[in-house]
Amino acid sequence: MDFMDSNLEGILDRCLAAFVGAGTLDLSLDKLAAGVGVSKRMLIHYFGGKAAIEELATERLEERLRAQFRVDAFPPGTSLADVVLALWERTTRPESRGVLLLVMDLNRRAWNSSQAGSDRARAFYMEQQRLWVDLLLEFSPDRELVESVLQLFQGLVLAFLVSGDADQGRKALERYLSIVERHDRAEI
């Protein structure tokens, strides 16, 4: 990687940090440039415009999320409940709030088909769904269970963002997973 490539990578990292700090992709080029420390003109020169910056920042966000939520981050034999609760703790840390807000912003774009970037946002959403299901299937072979846990998790994240109460969501996950575990033991 030459100097120009590493410089552009650094600028892109700072763009993603600005989006995370704002919790949205809806920053004007002027605000983005100010947050990144380069001129608006240079951002356009380097990346071609705001849509391209958003696309590259979304790709970078996907890479970071994929790296953070890997199967090998958990020891072999970890239960589904332990994985889900560890993910909850990681997701609800104060330093994760901007990322959560940015992901919610992408989700909002995904369901708003008239908004610029909605197709990309929809692809982001679908890829995140797939990655989470694939991860959780490593800890439970029951696809329906994994998908319902994911839906519950996502709803609890929304409640957490509104209320700021991570404990309420953790308790709901614990209750649900405990019911599933008791059900599974009863069937054996």
Side-chain angles (χ1 to χ4, degrees):
M1 179 183 301
D2 66 17
F3 172 76
M4 189 58 164
D5 289 341
S6 65
N7 191 32
L8 290 178
E9 291 294 317
I11 293 170
L12 182 56
D13 285 339
R14 293 194 312 270
C15 286
L16 178 56
F19 290 135
V20 167
T24 183
L25 291 175
D26 292 335
L27 292 179
S28 69
L29 271 175
D30 290 321
K31 283 188 178 185
L32 184 60
V36 170
V38 299
S39 71
K40 174 181 169 179
R41 190 176 121 265
M42 290 313 291
L43 283 177
I44 293 169
H45 171 75
Y46 288 144
F47 301 105
K50 187 160 183 291
I53 296 168
E54 288 178 1
E55 172 66 25
L56 291 168
T58 300
E59 286 176 13
R60 181 70 45 103
L61 177 63
E62 282 179 321
E63 292 166 9
R64 296 213 173 139
L65 291 173
R66 193 174 296 119
Q68 187 176 5
F69 298 102
R70 298 180 333 270
V71 170
D72 63 359
F74 302 96
T78 303
S79 71
L80 177 65
D82 288 342
V83 169
V84 170
L85 293 172
L87 292 172
W88 180 257
E89 295 306 318
R90 195 177 300 166
T91 301
T92 58
R93 284 187 250 170
E95 60 270 19
S96 298
R97 186 167 179 79
V99 172
L100 284 176
L101 291 171
L102 184 54
V103 168
M104 292 304 289
D105 182 53
L106 284 161
N107 291 343
R108 177 186 54 81
R109 285 179 175 213
W111 72 65
N112 186 356
S113 61
S114 65
Q115 183 160 4
S118 62
D119 289 340
R120 177 62 177 106
R122 196 170 298 103
F124 174 86
Y125 175 80
M126 297 307 292
E127 179 65 3
Q128 294 310 305
Q129 293 289 109
R130 186 191 67 74
L131 290 171
W132 276 76
V133 167
D134 288 352
L135 169 67
L136 296 177
L137 282 172
E138 293 292 326
F139 302 96
S140 171
D142 186 339
R143 181 174 277 282
E144 285 183 14
L145 170 62
V146 161
E147 289 174 351
S148 67
V149 167
L150 178 57
Q151 294 301 310
L152 175 62
F153 194 100
Q154 290 173 328
L156 292 171
V157 165
L158 182 57
F160 163 70
L161 285 171
V162 172
S163 71
D165 185 358
D167 198 45
Q168 182 180 4
R170 183 184 49 73
K171 287 177 183 175
L173 286 167
E174 287 172 343
R175 280 190 302 273
Y176 181 76
L177 292 165
S178 145
I179 291 166
V180 168
E181 186 178 283
R182 282 195 310 265
H183 178 267
D184 288 348
R185 278 197 308 257
E187 285 189 350
I188 293 177

